[in-house]
């Protein structure tokens, strides 16, 4: 016969629990290798599952029935609470144990059919009345679902918690009551500030939209992902969802914070929650979070994606994840910064930086700008096109990137060339940035042959070099002589074009005005005197420039004659510099109109003005110096 009334308690001996009753136990329940020596009647009067097992085992002759409960929710500790409830003990529900007890009661079929006010109905009532109405308790309950996700899903516990949290996030936080993480321990249950435990009646005002980031970051990723999807279905803005995902990733991917400048949002204390961070597989997190991130653009978001890519390369994620990150970055490459693009090479490559990854992102960017390839330049003003503006920003970024990686001695000429040619030719109105990168590359790779240097120089359109860049290139000893002669030719063409433009402007200004125009623009005498003086000075400067152009043409003709002579006697020439020593030419003084926004480096050494031709043309290169 079962023990009458309430029992005095239980005691444990090793892995065995015993009831402090005078009657001998007639059933043993095994949960996680822990043996509970109990009595049938208290159990079958509350637990439908054990009652069914006992009915099925009536035909057995065993004196003590042994029942093993496989995969019991909460394990032996939770079953011990259930046992005390079956023996008439009081169960105290908390946000941390209500979900486990709810699932355990469902596992044992502890419905009201096996006793009024049974454990299942008690758990469900506490869950609805206390958990779903309080932010903190709902978060704690949802976190406790992690070990029993399947059964909690069956009972709709997870979906109810997520719906409740989503509604709270969309609602004014001041309506929630105690406690809110952003208020900490300074807020009373009514929402007012406490001073030494005394209600002051003052309300804390907060308009922050990220107060919930820290709280949901304590969920395991499976629950976090489902919560984000639920909030997205509820209509929460993609910007807030993206920021919440970024916050979660920064919490569980420690290497990500190095490139993000710290976590966004204010620092919060979790003392009132006493929650422990979830255990997250970093590689699985990375491969899953890419699908969760909304399609979004922005400087901070692009930097975050580049940080994810660095971590992904370190962890060795699958190719699909890496390609998705590179595509997302590529379509907004104009928002990236140079330091975030300098991704170290984590593979077996000899190069210092992962230039292959950057090249793929450039190709993704170019493929996204289909409008540039479908519109004819003659029918559309590319300079005012938004797409062309993006292309120009990316071109400047790529040129700076190439200049940074050019000093790597292991960077192959083919890779340098492929990076430079990854963008279409129309993306660069000036090639000063490419020339700067090429000069750095030649300086770091002095062993390149003359042929290799000439092949690399073919990526530069010397007609798109500024006058300042031409002045430097014409004195650059690292360039092949044929390239230097080509630069001199285009420099001469630029000077002649500039001179023709100035003369045309001068003629326009000095042309007599018509009668209507003269009457409409009345200029006083002093003003005319100033204009005349300025025109005289301009004429003088034009004459000087004209004479210098004539001298340059004569020098260029001499260079051509000397080149013809040199080609007939190859044995007489030992090096390209020897050819220059036999020419003898004057170097034009470099233009003072320096385009600082294009050449991002220190100015080259001014070209010396040579009064008399020297017997050796080495003066062509004597003043050569590095532009950068």
């Amino acid at each position: 016969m079962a023990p009458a009334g309430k029992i005095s308690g239980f005691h444990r001996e090793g892995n065995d629990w015993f009831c402090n009753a005078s009657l001998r136990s007639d059933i043993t329940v095994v949960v996680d290798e822990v043996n509970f020596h109990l009595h049938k009647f208290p159990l079958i009067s509350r637990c439908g599952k054990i009652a069914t097992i006992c009915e099925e085992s009536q035909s057995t002759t065993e004196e003590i029935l042994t029942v093993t409960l496989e995969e019991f929710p909460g394990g032996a500790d939770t079953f011990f609470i259930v046992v005390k409830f079956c023996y008439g003990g009081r169960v105290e529900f908390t946000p941390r144990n209500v979900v486990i007890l709810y699932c355990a009661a469902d596992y044992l079929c502890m419905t009201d059919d096996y006793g009024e006010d049974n454990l299942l109905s008690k758990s469900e009532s506490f869950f609805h009345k206390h958990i779903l109405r309080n932010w903190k308790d709902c978060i704690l309950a949802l976190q406790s679902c992690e070990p029993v996700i399947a059964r909690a899903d069956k009972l709709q516990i997870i979906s109810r918690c997520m719906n409740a949290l989503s509604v709270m996030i969309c609602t004014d936080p001041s309506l929630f009551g105690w406690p809110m993480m952003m208020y900490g321990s300074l807020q009373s249950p009514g929402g007012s500030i406490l001073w030494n435990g005394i209600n002051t009646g003052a309300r804390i005002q907060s308009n922050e939209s990220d107060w919930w980031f820290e709280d949901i970051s304590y969920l395991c990723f499976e629950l976090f992902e489902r919560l984000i999807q639920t909030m997205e279905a509820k209509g929460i803005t993609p910007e807030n969802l993206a920021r919440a995902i970024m916050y979660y990733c920064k919490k569980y991917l420690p290497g990500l914070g190095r490139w993000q400048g710290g976590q966004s949002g204010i620092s919060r204390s979790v003392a009132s929650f006493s929650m422990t961070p979830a255990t997250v597989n970093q590689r699985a997190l990375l491969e899953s979070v890419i699908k969760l991130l909304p399609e979004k653009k922005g400087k901070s978001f692009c930097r975050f994606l580049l940080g994810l890519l660095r971590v992904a390369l370190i962890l060795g994620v699958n190719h699909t994840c890496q390609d998705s990150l590179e595509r997302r970055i590529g379509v907004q490459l104009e928002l990236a910064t140079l330091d975030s693009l300098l991704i170290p090479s984590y593979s077996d490559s000899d190069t210092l930086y992962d230039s292959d990854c950057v090249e793929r992102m450039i190709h993704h960017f170019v493929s996204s700008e289909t409008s540039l390839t479908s519109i004819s330049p003659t029918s559309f003003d590319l300079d005012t096109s938004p797409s062309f503006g993006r292309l120009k920003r990316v071109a400047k970024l790529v040129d700076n990137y190439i200049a940074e990686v050019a000093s790597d001695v292991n960077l192959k000429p083919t890779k340098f060339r492929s990076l430079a040619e990854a963008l279409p030719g129309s993306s660069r109105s000036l090639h000063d940035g490419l020339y700067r990168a090429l000069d750095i590359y030649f300086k770091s790779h002095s062993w390149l042959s003359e042929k290799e240097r000439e092949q690399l120089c073919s990526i530069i359109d010397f007609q798109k070099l500024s006058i300042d860049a031409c002045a430097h290139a014409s004195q650059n000893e690292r360039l092949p002589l044929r390239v230097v002669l080509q630069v001199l030719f285009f420099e001469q063409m630029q000077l002649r074009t500039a001179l023709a433009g100035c003369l045309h402007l001068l003629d326009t200004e000095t042309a007599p005005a018509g009668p209507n125009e003269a009457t409409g623009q009345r200029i006083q005498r002093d003003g005319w005197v100033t204009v005349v003086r300025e025109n005289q000075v301009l004429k003088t400067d034009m004459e000087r420039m004209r004479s210098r152009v004539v001298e340059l043409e004569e020098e260029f003709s001499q260079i051509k004659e000397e080149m013809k002579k040199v080609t007939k006697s190859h044995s007489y020439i030992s090096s390209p510099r020897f050819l220059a020593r036999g020419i003898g030419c004057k170097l034009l003084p470099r233009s003072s109109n320096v385009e600082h926004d294009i050449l991002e480096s220190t100015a080259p050494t001014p070209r010396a003005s040579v009064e008399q031709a020297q017997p050796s043309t080495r003066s062509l290169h004597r003043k050569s110096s590095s532009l950068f």
Side-chain angles (χ1 to χ4, degrees):
M1 196 172 172
K6 295 184 179 180
I7 60 168
S8 58
F10 297 85
H11 68 277
R12 183 169 185 172
E13 298 177 3
N15 282 339
D16 295 272
W17 279 97
F18 296 92
C19 175
N20 297 331
S22 57
L23 295 178
R24 182 182 177 186
S25 66
D26 54 1
I27 184 173
T28 301
V29 182
V30 182
V31 179
D32 292 347
E33 299 181 355
V34 178
N35 304 315
F36 293 84
H37 303 276
L38 308 172
H39 304 86
K40 291 182 181 179
F41 180 74
L43 296 180
I44 63 177
S45 63
R46 290 289 187 176
C47 305
K49 184 179 182 68
I50 295 181
T52 303
I53 294 175
C54 290
E55 289 177 3
E56 294 175 352
S57 61
Q58 286 181 355
S59 58
T60 61
T61 57
E62 295 181 1
E63 183 178 356
I64 299 178
L65 178 64
T66 302
V67 178
T68 302
L69 301 179
E70 300 289 346
E71 298 180 356
F72 185 79
D77 294 337
T78 302
F79 185 73
F80 180 67
I81 298 175
V82 173
V83 168
K84 291 195 295 182
F85 176 80
C86 292
Y87 276 81
R90 181 175 176 272
V91 176
E92 181 179 357
F93 292 100
T94 67
R96 298 181 186 276
N97 69 8
V98 63
V99 172
I100 299 297
L101 290 175
Y102 197 165
C103 294
D106 177 72
Y107 180 93
L108 294 172
C109 299
M110 300 179 70
T111 63
D112 288 349
D113 295 336
Y114 295 90
E116 185 180 355
D117 203 15
N118 209 344
L119 184 61
L120 185 62
S121 59
K122 278 181 171 289
S123 302
E124 186 175 7
S125 176
F126 182 87
F127 179 77
H128 282 280
K129 290 182 179 179
H130 299 87
I131 301 301
L132 297 181
R133 299 181 181 181
N134 188 286
W135 171 267
K136 165 196 163 183
D137 294 344
C138 199
I139 288 287
L140 291 172
L142 190 58
Q143 189 187 37
S144 66
C145 292
E146 182 177 351
V148 289
I149 288 180
R151 189 167 294 274
D153 258 339
K154 172 193 168 186
L155 297 173
Q156 298 184 347
I157 295 174
I158 296 178
S159 60
R160 292 173 184 173
C161 285
M162 291 182 175
N163 287 331
L165 292 174
S166 299
V167 171
M168 292 179 191
I169 291 172
C170 296
T171 311
D172 184 3
S174 63
L175 302 177
F176 297 162
W178 167 264
M180 292 301 298
M181 278 292 293
M182 60 181 179
Y183 300 147
S185 59
L186 295 178
Q187 189 185 10
S188 69
S192 56
I193 303 175
L194 297 179
W195 179 77
N196 287 344
I198 302 174
N199 190 343
T200 63
R203 287 276 185 172
I204 298 178
Q205 301 294 331
S206 176
N207 296 322
E208 295 178 13
S209 60
D210 62 347
W211 56 266
W212 47 278
F213 292 176
E214 174 71 11
D215 298 347
I216 67 172
S217 69
Y218 283 86
L219 301 174
C220 67
F221 183 73
E222 182 178 354
L223 295 177
F224 174 83
E225 181 180 13
R226 293 177 59 176
L227 179 58
I228 291 294
Q229 293 170 348
T230 302
M231 290 190 293
E232 184 178 11
K234 293 290 183 182
I236 297 180
T237 60
E239 289 75 14
N240 274 344
L241 292 181
R243 290 170 59 206
I245 296 171
M246 292 165 64
Y247 193 99
Y248 190 89
C249 290
K250 292 172 186 177
K251 189 183 186 76
Y252 294 103
L253 298 174
L256 189 60
R258 302 176 190 172
W259 303 287
Q260 304 306 310
Q263 293 185 350
S264 60
I266 61 174
S267 176
R268 302 178 180 88
S269 171
V270 294
S272 60
F273 269 73
S274 299
M275 297 174 67
T276 56
T279 303
V280 175
N281 185 318
Q282 294 185 357
R283 182 172 176 176
L285 168 62
L286 253 176
E287 293 175 351
S288 301
V289 79
I290 303 304
K291 306 173 185 176
L292 197 61
L293 281 170
E295 293 292 340
K296 182 177 178 295
K297 289 187 177 182
K299 289 185 177 180
S300 61
F301 189 69
C302 182
R303 189 174 184 86
F304 168 74
L305 291 177
L306 283 163
L308 279 184
L309 181 59
R310 289 173 182 253
V311 178
L313 293 173
I314 295 174
L315 297 177
V317 298
N318 58 52
H319 177 73
T320 303
C321 175
Q322 181 178 342
D323 183 69
S324 177
L325 277 172
E326 292 174 354
R327 180 190 61 80
R328 283 172 174 260
I329 298 169
V331 297
Q332 52 185 316
L333 190 59
E334 76 279 2
L335 302 176
T337 56
L338 178 60
D339 62 322
S340 58
L341 278 184
L342 294 173
I343 303 173
S345 180
Y346 299 107
S347 62
D348 296 333
S349 174
D350 294 332
T351 56
L352 183 60
Y353 298 105
D354 194 343
S355 55
D356 292 333
C357 180
V358 175
E359 185 178 356
R360 288 192 295 268
M361 288 189 284
I362 297 173
H363 287 307
H364 283 304
F365 172 80
V366 174
S367 62
S368 68
E369 297 297 315
T370 53
S371 59
L372 291 178
T373 58
S374 60
I375 298 177
S376 173
T378 59
S379 62
F380 190 76
D381 189 4
L382 287 178
D383 291 334
T384 60
S385 169
S387 297
F388 189 70
R390 295 179 60 212
L391 193 61
K392 288 177 65 177
R393 290 194 294 271
V394 171
K396 185 175 181 180
L397 177 66
V398 171
D399 289 348
N400 290 335
Y401 175 81
I402 299 175
E404 286 293 331
V405 302
S407 58
D408 185 1
V409 294
N410 293 320
L411 185 66
K412 304 298 182 184
T414 53
K415 176 54 62 178
F416 183 93
R417 187 183 189 92
S418 62
L419 283 172
E421 295 178 342
L423 288 173
S426 60
S427 62
R428 298 179 176 93
S429 57
L430 284 174
H431 279 208
D432 288 12
L434 269 184
Y435 170 69
R436 170 177 175 257
L438 189 66
D439 186 51
I440 295 175
Y441 188 77
F442 284 165
K443 186 186 301 184
S444 303
H445 301 74
S446 56
W447 56 86
L448 292 177
S449 64
E450 194 81 3
K451 182 179 180 181
E452 289 176 325
R453 291 173 185 268
E454 289 183 359
Q455 290 175 348
L456 284 179
C457 287
S458 64
I459 66 177
I460 298 179
D461 185 354
F462 291 98
Q463 297 185 64
K464 292 185 177 181
L465 288 183
S466 65
I467 296 179
D468 199 54
C470 284
H472 182 275
S474 63
Q475 304 177 65
N476 194 343
E477 293 184 350
R478 289 180 284 273
L479 296 180
L481 184 58
R482 182 179 299 178
V483 174
V484 173
L485 295 177
Q486 188 178 1
V487 171
L488 284 171
F489 173 76
F490 288 123
E491 184 182 17
Q492 181 190 28
M493 295 297 294
Q494 287 185 16
L495 288 174
R496 296 184 67 177
T497 303
L499 178 61
C502 292
L503 292 176
H504 177 73
L505 179 62
L506 181 61
D507 294 340
T508 303
E509 290 180 351
T510 56
N516 295 334
E517 186 177 357
T519 57
Q521 298 178 355
R522 296 181 177 179
I523 304 175
Q524 296 184 4
R525 183 176 182 180
D526 294 341
W528 279 110
V529 172
T530 304
V531 172
V532 170
R533 289 176 180 175
E534 291 178 353
N535 286 342
Q536 290 176 351
V537 174
L538 185 59
K539 286 181 179 180
T540 304
D541 291 340
M542 291 302 101
E543 291 299 328
R544 291 177 181 175
M545 185 179 293
R546 193 193 304 273
S547 63
R548 297 302 297 169
V549 170
V550 172
E551 292 178 4
L552 182 60
E553 289 177 347
E554 294 177 355
E555 293 171 2
F556 192 73
S557 299
Q558 294 177 6
I559 291 175
K560 285 184 177 180
E561 294 297 329
E562 293 294 335
M563 286 294 296
K564 291 179 181 179
K565 295 179 182 180
V566 168
T567 54
K568 295 179 181 180
S569 56
H570 292 286
S571 60
Y572 182 72
I573 303 173
S574 60
S575 67
R577 295 189 181 87
F578 183 81
L579 174 61
R581 285 199 294 269
I583 296 174
C585 64
K586 298 179 182 179
L587 298 179
L588 284 178
R590 49 177 299 201
S591 172
S592 60
N593 184 17
V594 182
E595 297 184 11
H596 290 283
D597 58 334
I598 303 299
L599 279 175
E600 300 176 353
S601 62
T602 58
T605 304
R607 302 176 61 192
S609 177
V610 183
E611 298 296 334
Q612 297 179 356
Q614 302 295 327
S616 170
T617 60
R618 186 163 181 80
S619 61
L620 181 63
H621 303 288
R622 183 175 301 164
K623 296 296 182 178
S624 173
S625 61
S626 176
L627 181 58
F628 310 97

